[in-house]
Amino acid sequence: MDRIDRILAQWNRERPDLDVAPMGLIGRIGNLAHHLGHEMGKTFAQFDLNRAAFDVLATLRRSGPPYTLSPNDLIATMMVTSGTMTNRIDQLEKAGLVARSPNPDDGRSFLVSLMDKGFALIDSAVTAHVETQARLVSSLSEEEKGALDALLKKYLAGFEIADSGTTLAIEAPDE
């Protein structure tokens, strides 16, 4: 019996009229998210990054050559506000990890490009990140990982807004 089981038992005793089983599922998902975020935050910190900076650099890196996106493309991918994105870009630019350049297709906007220093940093960080993630799921068998992934994918799909192609998201706090 874990901590959540004890909480559920208390609610079942105090409010037997309520089905508190969803409370257990959501509580466990929340606790997992907390533990996973904490562990991944430690990995990001090894590279003097937080989750927000890692996300921007990783999005640029996985976009492929020339590793350049518009702020709107970054916003759409990461689902943050324009003000939040501007702050993230400012910080990464000050660190010499990204650079802004005029957008040749739209003189009113700019593009964000991964600099050599940023490329090298994110390549090292993403390698460590993948290793951390592998460690975090290592207690599950391959079959269990596949089953859990399928269930979570199905559950998450319920939060997607099918007609607009967007997803409801809660921005994770910076680590």
Side-chain angles (χ1 to χ4, degrees):
M1 203 168 171
D2 67 8
R3 183 176 66 88
I4 291 175
D5 286 330
R6 288 188 290 279
I7 291 168
L8 295 176
Q10 290 170 331
W11 278 119
N12 282 325
R13 182 189 70 232
E14 295 299 315
R15 291 291 310 268
D17 58 310
L18 296 177
D19 176 10
V20 295
M23 186 185 294
L25 178 63
I26 292 169
R28 285 186 174 93
I29 291 171
N31 284 350
L32 276 170
H34 171 77
H35 290 295
L36 297 172
H38 179 74
E39 290 300 312
M40 289 184 290
K42 290 191 309 191
T43 299
F44 302 147
Q46 292 172 9
F47 298 90
D48 292 324
L49 296 172
N50 58 30
R51 181 181 187 93
F54 177 88
D55 285 348
V56 173
L57 296 174
T59 299
L60 288 167
R61 175 62 177 94
R62 73 174 184 261
S63 72
Y67 311 107
T68 299
L69 294 170
S70 72
N72 285 338
D73 290 336
L74 288 166
I75 289 167
T77 300
M78 293 190 287
M79 301 185 67
V80 296
T81 66
S82 60
T84 297
M85 184 55 63
T86 297
N87 183 50
R88 290 179 183 183
I89 294 167
D90 288 347
Q91 297 304 311
L92 292 169
E93 188 174 39
K94 284 178 190 172
L97 303 173
V98 302
R100 287 180 169 101
S101 61
N103 186 338
D105 299 328
D106 181 358
R108 299 168 296 159
S109 67
F110 62 91
L111 298 173
V112 180
S113 299
L114 197 56
M115 301 297 293
D116 289 342
K117 179 180 174 183
F119 187 97
L121 178 66
I122 194 58
D123 261 13
S124 296
V126 79
T127 298
H129 180 58
V130 169
E131 290 169 359
T132 296
Q133 290 179 324
R135 177 179 54 81
L136 292 171
V137 299
S138 65
S139 64
L140 302 174
S141 69
E142 291 304 314
E143 183 178 314
E144 289 168 331
K145 289 177 206 174
L148 181 58
D149 189 51
L151 286 171
L152 290 172
K153 183 177 182 177
K154 178 180 178 180
Y155 184 44
L156 188 58
F159 292 93
E160 294 180 356
I161 302 171
D163 59 343
S164 69
T166 61
T167 304
L168 296 175
I170 299 171
E171 187 176 337
D174 293 347
E175 298 297 327

mmCIF file of all heavy atoms in Angstrom, residues 4-30:
data_model
loop_
_atom_site.group_PDB
_atom_site.id
_atom_site.type_symbol
_atom_site.label_atom_id
_atom_site.label_comp_id
_atom_site.label_asym_id
_atom_site.label_seq_id
_atom_site.Cartn_x
_atom_site.Cartn_y
_atom_site.Cartn_z
ATOM 1 N N ILE A 4 -0.725 7.011 -1.819
ATOM 2 C CA ILE A 4 -1.985 7.310 -2.499
ATOM 3 C C ILE A 4 -3.059 6.305 -2.095
ATOM 4 O O ILE A 4 -4.216 6.681 -1.886
ATOM 5 C CB ILE A 4 -1.773 7.382 -4.022
ATOM 6 C CG1 ILE A 4 -0.932 8.621 -4.327
ATOM 7 C CG2 ILE A 4 -3.103 7.420 -4.765
ATOM 8 C CD1 ILE A 4 -0.526 8.798 -5.757
ATOM 9 N N ASP A 5 -2.682 5.040 -1.950
ATOM 10 C CA ASP A 5 -3.645 4.044 -1.459
ATOM 11 C C ASP A 5 -4.178 4.435 -0.077
ATOM 12 O O ASP A 5 -5.373 4.269 0.202
ATOM 13 C CB ASP A 5 -3.012 2.653 -1.379
ATOM 14 C CG ASP A 5 -2.803 2.003 -2.734
ATOM 15 O OD1 ASP A 5 -3.588 2.290 -3.660
ATOM 16 O OD2 ASP A 5 -1.847 1.207 -2.854
ATOM 17 N N ARG A 6 -3.305 4.945 0.782
ATOM 18 C CA ARG A 6 -3.744 5.357 2.120
ATOM 19 C C ARG A 6 -4.712 6.546 2.042
ATOM 20 O O ARG A 6 -5.707 6.588 2.767
ATOM 21 C CB ARG A 6 -2.536 5.688 3.005
ATOM 22 C CG ARG A 6 -1.752 4.435 3.428
ATOM 23 C CD ARG A 6 -0.677 4.731 4.461
ATOM 24 N NE ARG A 6 0.446 5.492 3.922
ATOM 25 C CZ ARG A 6 1.456 4.958 3.234
ATOM 26 N NH1 ARG A 6 1.496 3.663 2.989
ATOM 27 N NH2 ARG A 6 2.444 5.710 2.791
ATOM 28 N N ILE A 7 -4.434 7.478 1.155
ATOM 29 C CA ILE A 7 -5.334 8.621 0.971
ATOM 30 C C ILE A 7 -6.688 8.146 0.457
ATOM 31 O O ILE A 7 -7.743 8.577 0.949
ATOM 32 C CB ILE A 7 -4.705 9.660 0.002
ATOM 33 C CG1 ILE A 7 -3.501 10.336 0.666
ATOM 34 C CG2 ILE A 7 -5.742 10.691 -0.448
ATOM 35 C CD1 ILE A 7 -2.640 11.158 -0.279
ATOM 36 N N LEU A 8 -6.662 7.245 -0.517
ATOM 37 C CA LEU A 8 -7.918 6.708 -1.056
ATOM 38 C C LEU A 8 -8.702 5.961 0.019
ATOM 39 O O LEU A 8 -9.935 6.092 0.100
ATOM 40 C CB LEU A 8 -7.642 5.794 -2.248
ATOM 41 C CG LEU A 8 -7.032 6.454 -3.482
ATOM 42 C CD1 LEU A 8 -6.723 5.404 -4.539
ATOM 43 C CD2 LEU A 8 -7.927 7.541 -4.032
ATOM 44 N N ALA A 9 -8.016 5.197 0.849
ATOM 45 C CA ALA A 9 -8.690 4.473 1.930
ATOM 46 C C ALA A 9 -9.351 5.452 2.890
ATOM 47 O O ALA A 9 -10.481 5.213 3.359
ATOM 48 C CB ALA A 9 -7.691 3.573 2.665
ATOM 49 N N GLN A 10 -8.679 6.557 3.187
ATOM 50 C CA GLN A 10 -9.270 7.570 4.066
ATOM 51 C C GLN A 10 -10.532 8.164 3.447
ATOM 52 O O GLN A 10 -11.552 8.318 4.119
ATOM 53 C CB GLN A 10 -8.250 8.672 4.367
ATOM 54 C CG GLN A 10 -7.115 8.219 5.254
ATOM 55 C CD GLN A 10 -6.004 9.260 5.345
ATOM 56 O OE1 GLN A 10 -5.773 10.035 4.419
ATOM 57 N NE2 GLN A 10 -5.306 9.256 6.490
ATOM 58 N N TRP A 11 -10.450 8.500 2.146
ATOM 59 C CA TRP A 11 -11.637 9.050 1.488
ATOM 60 C C TRP A 11 -12.755 8.009 1.411
ATOM 61 O O TRP A 11 -13.937 8.347 1.594
ATOM 62 C CB TRP A 11 -11.297 9.577 0.094
ATOM 63 C CG TRP A 11 -10.721 10.957 0.132
ATOM 64 C CD1 TRP A 11 -9.487 11.346 -0.289
ATOM 65 C CD2 TRP A 11 -11.354 12.137 0.629
ATOM 66 N NE1 TRP A 11 -9.310 12.692 -0.083
ATOM 67 C CE2 TRP A 11 -10.461 13.201 0.487
ATOM 68 C CE3 TRP A 11 -12.608 12.398 1.196
ATOM 69 C CZ2 TRP A 11 -10.756 14.505 0.869
ATOM 70 C CZ3 TRP A 11 -12.909 13.707 1.589
ATOM 71 C CH2 TRP A 11 -11.995 14.736 1.426
ATOM 72 N N ASN A 12 -12.403 6.772 1.151
ATOM 73 C CA ASN A 12 -13.425 5.718 1.104
ATOM 74 C C ASN A 12 -14.105 5.551 2.462
ATOM 75 O O ASN A 12 -15.315 5.302 2.525
ATOM 76 C CB ASN A 12 -12.830 4.389 0.644
ATOM 77 C CG ASN A 12 -12.627 4.352 -0.857
ATOM 78 O OD1 ASN A 12 -13.402 4.913 -1.615
ATOM 79 N ND2 ASN A 12 -11.568 3.685 -1.290
ATOM 80 N N ARG A 13 -13.336 5.708 3.535
ATOM 81 C CA ARG A 13 -13.898 5.617 4.879
ATOM 82 C C ARG A 13 -14.804 6.818 5.161
ATOM 83 O O ARG A 13 -15.906 6.676 5.677
ATOM 84 C CB ARG A 13 -12.775 5.545 5.917
ATOM 85 C CG ARG A 13 -13.272 5.406 7.356
ATOM 86 C CD ARG A 13 -12.151 5.552 8.375
ATOM 87 N NE ARG A 13 -11.699 6.949 8.395
ATOM 88 C CZ ARG A 13 -10.427 7.345 8.273
ATOM 89 N NH1 ARG A 13 -9.459 6.463 8.123
ATOM 90 N NH2 ARG A 13 -10.109 8.611 8.296
ATOM 91 N N GLU A 14 -14.317 8.008 4.801
ATOM 92 C CA GLU A 14 -15.040 9.236 5.124
ATOM 93 C C GLU A 14 -16.181 9.547 4.154
ATOM 94 O O GLU A 14 -17.161 10.165 4.537
ATOM 95 C CB GLU A 14 -14.064 10.422 5.159
ATOM 96 C CG GLU A 14 -13.031 10.325 6.254
ATOM 97 C CD GLU A 14 -13.647 10.303 7.638
ATOM 98 O OE1 GLU A 14 -14.569 11.117 7.907
ATOM 99 O OE2 GLU A 14 -13.228 9.456 8.465
ATOM 100 N N ARG A 15 -15.991 9.158 2.893
ATOM 101 C CA ARG A 15 -17.012 9.447 1.878
ATOM 102 C C ARG A 15 -17.247 8.217 1.008
ATOM 103 O O ARG A 15 -16.911 8.191 -0.185
ATOM 104 C CB ARG A 15 -16.575 10.617 0.983
ATOM 105 C CG ARG A 15 -16.522 11.978 1.641
ATOM 106 C CD ARG A 15 -17.891 12.539 2.021
ATOM 107 N NE ARG A 15 -18.887 12.516 0.973
ATOM 108 C CZ ARG A 15 -19.139 13.513 0.116
ATOM 109 N NH1 ARG A 15 -18.456 14.635 0.206
ATOM 110 N NH2 ARG A 15 -20.072 13.398 -0.806
ATOM 111 N N PRO A 16 -17.844 7.162 1.588
ATOM 112 C CA PRO A 16 -18.065 5.933 0.821
ATOM 113 C C PRO A 16 -19.020 6.128 -0.359
ATOM 114 O O PRO A 16 -19.083 5.279 -1.243
ATOM 115 C CB PRO A 16 -18.644 4.967 1.858
ATOM 116 C CG PRO A 16 -19.178 5.826 2.948
ATOM 117 C CD PRO A 16 -18.346 7.073 2.948
ATOM 118 N N ASP A 17 -19.699 7.264 -0.396
ATOM 119 C CA ASP A 17 -20.618 7.558 -1.488
ATOM 120 C C ASP A 17 -19.893 8.017 -2.756
ATOM 121 O O ASP A 17 -20.496 8.088 -3.831
ATOM 122 C CB ASP A 17 -21.631 8.633 -1.066
ATOM 123 C CG ASP A 17 -20.942 9.921 -0.615
ATOM 124 O OD1 ASP A 17 -20.009 9.832 0.228
ATOM 125 O OD2 ASP A 17 -21.348 11.005 -1.082
ATOM 126 N N LEU A 18 -18.599 8.321 -2.657
ATOM 127 C CA LEU A 18 -17.835 8.815 -3.807
ATOM 128 C C LEU A 18 -16.927 7.723 -4.365
ATOM 129 O O LEU A 18 -16.311 6.971 -3.608
ATOM 130 C CB LEU A 18 -16.957 10.005 -3.402
ATOM 131 C CG LEU A 18 -17.663 11.273 -2.942
ATOM 132 C CD1 LEU A 18 -16.622 12.313 -2.504
ATOM 133 C CD2 LEU A 18 -18.549 11.829 -4.046
ATOM 134 N N ASP A 19 -16.814 7.683 -5.694
ATOM 135 C CA ASP A 19 -15.835 6.806 -6.346
ATOM 136 C C ASP A 19 -14.551 7.617 -6.498
ATOM 137 O O ASP A 19 -14.448 8.473 -7.385
ATOM 138 C CB ASP A 19 -16.350 6.351 -7.709
ATOM 139 C CG ASP A 19 -15.333 5.508 -8.467
ATOM 140 O OD1 ASP A 19 -14.298 5.122 -7.872
ATOM 141 O OD2 ASP A 19 -15.564 5.255 -9.666
ATOM 142 N N VAL A 20 -13.600 7.377 -5.621
ATOM 143 C CA VAL A 20 -12.361 8.161 -5.619
ATOM 144 C C VAL A 20 -11.233 7.497 -6.427
ATOM 145 O O VAL A 20 -10.102 7.978 -6.400
ATOM 146 C CB VAL A 20 -11.900 8.475 -4.176
ATOM 147 C CG1 VAL A 20 -12.905 9.378 -3.470
ATOM 148 C CG2 VAL A 20 -11.658 7.199 -3.383
ATOM 149 N N ALA A 21 -11.548 6.440 -7.146
ATOM 150 C CA ALA A 21 -10.519 5.760 -7.942
ATOM 151 C C ALA A 21 -9.812 6.712 -8.908
ATOM 152 O O ALA A 21 -8.575 6.657 -9.033
ATOM 153 C CB ALA A 21 -11.112 4.572 -8.694
ATOM 154 N N PRO A 22 -10.539 7.632 -9.608
ATOM 155 C CA PRO A 22 -9.824 8.565 -10.485
ATOM 156 C C PRO A 22 -8.819 9.438 -9.745
ATOM 157 O O PRO A 22 -7.794 9.821 -10.301
ATOM 158 C CB PRO A 22 -10.948 9.415 -11.097
ATOM 159 C CG PRO A 22 -12.153 8.532 -11.043
ATOM 160 C CD PRO A 22 -11.996 7.753 -9.755
ATOM 161 N N MET A 23 -9.099 9.722 -8.467
ATOM 162 C CA MET A 23 -8.172 10.507 -7.662
ATOM 163 C C MET A 23 -6.825 9.789 -7.557
ATOM 164 O O MET A 23 -5.766 10.426 -7.612
ATOM 165 C CB MET A 23 -8.766 10.730 -6.266
ATOM 166 C CG MET A 23 -7.969 11.646 -5.372
ATOM 167 S SD MET A 23 -8.645 11.752 -3.683
ATOM 168 C CE MET A 23 -10.213 12.551 -3.971
ATOM 169 N N GLY A 24 -6.870 8.469 -7.432
ATOM 170 C CA GLY A 24 -5.637 7.698 -7.340
ATOM 171 C C GLY A 24 -4.850 7.734 -8.634
ATOM 172 O O GLY A 24 -3.633 7.956 -8.634
ATOM 173 N N LEU A 25 -5.542 7.536 -9.732
ATOM 174 C CA LEU A 25 -4.880 7.551 -11.042
ATOM 175 C C LEU A 25 -4.247 8.912 -11.314
ATOM 176 O O LEU A 25 -3.062 9.009 -11.669
ATOM 177 C CB LEU A 25 -5.889 7.195 -12.137
ATOM 178 C CG LEU A 25 -5.378 7.222 -13.565
ATOM 179 C CD1 LEU A 25 -4.283 6.186 -13.767
ATOM 180 C CD2 LEU A 25 -6.525 6.987 -14.525
ATOM 181 N N ILE A 26 -5.015 9.960 -11.122
ATOM 182 C CA ILE A 26 -4.506 11.305 -11.399
ATOM 183 C C ILE A 26 -3.417 11.684 -10.403
ATOM 184 O O ILE A 26 -2.420 12.311 -10.772
ATOM 185 C CB ILE A 26 -5.667 12.316 -11.435
ATOM 186 C CG1 ILE A 26 -6.524 12.016 -12.678
ATOM 187 C CG2 ILE A 26 -5.163 13.749 -11.445
ATOM 188 C CD1 ILE A 26 -7.840 12.745 -12.741
ATOM 189 N N GLY A 27 -3.562 11.278 -9.146
ATOM 190 C CA GLY A 27 -2.519 11.538 -8.154
ATOM 191 C C GLY A 27 -1.209 10.868 -8.520
ATOM 192 O O GLY A 27 -0.140 11.464 -8.395
ATOM 193 N N ARG A 28 -1.291 9.633 -8.991
ATOM 194 C CA ARG A 28 -0.070 8.925 -9.388
ATOM 195 C C ARG A 28 0.571 9.567 -10.616
ATOM 196 O O ARG A 28 1.793 9.696 -10.686
ATOM 197 C CB ARG A 28 -0.371 7.452 -9.622
ATOM 198 C CG ARG A 28 -0.569 6.689 -8.329
ATOM 199 C CD ARG A 28 -0.730 5.192 -8.544
ATOM 200 N NE ARG A 28 -0.774 4.529 -7.252
ATOM 201 C CZ ARG A 28 -1.904 4.252 -6.594
ATOM 202 N NH1 ARG A 28 -3.084 4.538 -7.121
ATOM 203 N NH2 ARG A 28 -1.850 3.665 -5.416
ATOM 204 N N ILE A 29 -0.253 9.958 -11.585
ATOM 205 C CA ILE A 29 0.287 10.630 -12.770
ATOM 206 C C ILE A 29 0.967 11.933 -12.351
ATOM 207 O O ILE A 29 2.077 12.243 -12.808
ATOM 208 C CB ILE A 29 -0.809 10.879 -13.823
ATOM 209 C CG1 ILE A 29 -1.260 9.551 -14.435
ATOM 210 C CG2 ILE A 29 -0.315 11.831 -14.916
ATOM 211 C CD1 ILE A 29 -2.497 9.659 -15.322
ATOM 212 N N GLY A 30 0.340 12.677 -11.464
ATOM 213 C CA GLY A 30 0.937 13.926 -10.978
ATOM 214 C C GLY A 30 2.243 13.702 -10.247
ATOM 215 O O GLY A 30 3.215 14.435 -10.449
#
